[in-house]
Structure formats: C-alpha cells, structure tokens
Amino acid sequence: MSSQTRKGGVSLPERPSRTNKNADEGIISRISSTVSESPVVYHGKRAAGEAAYVAKRLLKSTGKAAWIAGTTFLILVVPLIIEMDREQQLNELELQQASLLGTPPISAQK
C-alpha cells in the first residue's frame, strides 16, 4: 500500500513482520495463552461438556416421564373426577327433592 501513490490523506507505515512471536507478544497474552492451553483447562472444559450432556439427557428423560404422567392423569383420573362430581350433584338433587316433598331424608348407607 505504501508503494502506491495516493492523492491526499495520510499513509501509515507498514507493520514490521513478526519473526519471533513470543518476543513481540505482551506478558498478558503469553500468560493467557499458557493458561488456556493448560491440561487443567482442557479437563475442565471436557468435564463441563460431559455435565451439559448428562443434564440434557436428564431433562429429556424427565420431560418424557412428565408427558407420560400427564397423559395418564388426563385419560384415567379426570373422567373419574367428573363422574364423582356428577354423582355428588345427583345425590344433592335427590336430597333437595326429598326435603321439598316432605319425605324423610335417606340415611347414609353403611
């Protein structure tokens, strides 16, 4: 870019080529690269990945179990609750009619 002539503006000098990478790096970048390449970081990342995999599988299987429990409840328990409510309403209606007609109420069956 510096070999081309430009009209107006400022041209910056070219950067020197880096032959010795470690000599030109700052201390923070050297420490950062040393830490990020350490076996402790590698094992930590691996353990975190495995923990995420296990958590994902657990949530997936828990979701399946919740689906099975929910559909079973809807199919088996909800109709039973509805039928028990109908029976209770029918008993209350019979009791109300009996009290209006003047007949003694039916005692609870044992």
Side-chain angles (χ1 to χ4, degrees), residues 1-78:
M1 184 168 178
S2 63
S3 62
Q4 297 177 350
T5 54
R6 295 177 54 185
K7 292 183 179 181
V10 178
S11 62
L12 298 173
E14 291 187 22
R15 289 183 169 174
S17 64
R18 294 186 175 196
T19 55
N20 189 357
K21 186 177 178 183
N22 286 338
D24 291 339
E25 283 184 352
I27 189 165
I28 294 176
S29 66
R30 279 188 278 164
I31 291 173
S32 172
S33 65
T34 303
V35 168
S36 66
E37 295 171 0
S38 73
V40 173
V41 172
Y42 169 75
H43 290 299
K45 286 182 181 180
R46 184 173 168 204
E50 290 174 358
Y53 174 75
V54 169
K56 182 179 176 183
R57 294 286 303 235
L58 182 64
L59 285 174
K60 191 174 182 181
S61 64
T62 303
K64 286 181 181 179
W67 173 258
I68 292 170
T71 53
T72 302
F73 180 78
L74 286 175
I75 292 171
L76 298 177
V77 178
V78 170

